[in-house]
């Protein structure tokens, strides 16, 4: 049972435009959500997080939105840059529990 | 520099052999984790440890073993019982206890069975 789902395995965006990566979850007990970025043959790096008491968190070009009623999380990257090309994982955690990762979405930003 | 060091980066194993992947962290984190990444399957948790001398099975622990004799170290042994060991292995760590504790990852180790 996949509790965290990234339904788009890949996304292609033009440089300078907005990239929107989506993530859905099923467990309403999740209270902390994170996005990680991963280049090939490297470990994931933490990008941005949001707790369930908020609906938006922004850090530079990256903004995460949380819609608790829809159990939906999204990451917006504006403007997209070629260096943003990577696999993006969303993850969620229930209180005191372990992180559960989605399957990842591969973002390709074309110049 | 603080961080998580995994070694070796690339490892080849013959059928029937056990191999051990090393993971060391100097972040003073209490919790450590091992994940496996396969194409299209995201990151799956193998084992985790919240404290020294204690560890729990994750979602895919069969064919793997771990130890946590020191806070800084959490080696993973891939045994011959693991039927499909070729994968990218990721070690991670985090602070333990209540709160929104972010997991930080090492650079990963590629294991290939030949």
């Amino acid at each position: 049972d996949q509790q965290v789902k990234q339904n788009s395995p890949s996304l292609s965006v033009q440089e300078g435009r907005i990239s929107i990566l989506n993530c859905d979850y099923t467990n309403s007990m999740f209270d902390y959500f994170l996005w990680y970025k991963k280049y090939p043959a490297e470990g994931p790096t933490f990008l941005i997080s949001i707790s369930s008491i908020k609906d938006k968190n922004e850090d530079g070009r990256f903004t995460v939105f949380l819609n608790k009623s829809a159990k939906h999380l999204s990451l917006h990257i504006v403007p997209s840059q070629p260096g943003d090309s990577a696999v993006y994982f969303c993850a969620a955690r229930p209180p005191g529990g372990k992180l559960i990762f989605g399957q990842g979405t591969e973002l390709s930003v074309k110049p | 520099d603080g961080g998580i060091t995994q070694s070796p980066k690339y490892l080849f194993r013959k059928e029937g052999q056990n191999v051990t992947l090393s993971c060391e962290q100097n972040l003073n984190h209490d919790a450590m984790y091992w994940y496996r990444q396969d194409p299209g399957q995201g990151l799956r948790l193998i084992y985790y440890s919240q404290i020294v001398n204690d560890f729990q099975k994750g979602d895919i622990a069969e064919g793997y073993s771990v130890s946590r004799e020191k806070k800084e170290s959490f080696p993973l042994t891939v045994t011959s019982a693991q039927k499909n060991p070729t994968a990218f292995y990721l070690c991670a760590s985090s602070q333990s206890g209540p709160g929104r504790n972010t997991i930080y990852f090492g650079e990963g180790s590629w294991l290939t069975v030949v």
Side-chain angles (χ1 to χ4, degrees), chain A residues 5-76:
Chain A
K5 296 181 183 180
Q6 294 176 256
N7 292 315
S8 298
S10 63
L11 174 68
S12 183
V13 170
Q14 203 69 30
E15 181 180 7
R17 307 294 289 267
I18 184 171
S19 296
I20 300 176
L21 298 120
N22 293 304
C23 180
D24 296 298
Y25 61 96
T26 58
N27 188 343
S28 59
M29 297 300 293
F30 288 150
D31 70 342
Y32 188 51
F33 305 85
L34 306 92
W35 283 95
Y36 285 85
K37 175 180 178 179
K38 184 184 181 302
Y39 292 117
E42 294 183 11
T45 54
F46 169 70
L47 203 53
I48 193 169
S49 65
I50 188 169
S51 79
S52 59
I53 62 173
K54 295 185 175 182
D55 55 17
K56 176 182 175 181
N57 188 26
E58 192 172 348
D59 183 2
R61 295 187 297 116
F62 302 92
T63 303
V64 55
F65 294 92
L66 177 62
N67 183 334
K68 288 186 291 295
S69 61
K71 295 191 181 68
H72 180 79
L73 186 71
S74 63
L75 174 69
H76 292 209

Side-chain angles (χ1 to χ4, degrees), chain B residues 5 8 12 23-24 36 65 67 78 85 98 105 111:
Chain B
T5 302
F12 296 89
C23 179
E24 302 280 331
R36 167 179 170 149
S65 66
S67 63
V78 185
F105 286 88
L111 173 63

Side-chain angles (χ1 to χ4, degrees), chain A residues 76-92:
Chain A
H76 292 209
I77 307 174
V78 181
S80 302
Q81 300 173 353
D84 296 329
S85 296
V87 177
Y88 290 79
F89 291 98
C90 67

Side-chain angles (χ1 to χ4, degrees), chain B residues 7-8 18 26 33 43 50 67 69 73 75-76 78 80 82 89 93 95-96 114:
Chain B
S7 63
N18 293 355
N26 59 4
Y33 313 81
L43 304 176
Q50 305 271 38
S67 63
E69 297 176 3
S73 179
L76 173 74
V78 185
S80 56
Q82 170 49 236
Y89 290 87
S93 70
Q95 295 288 3
S96 195
V114 296

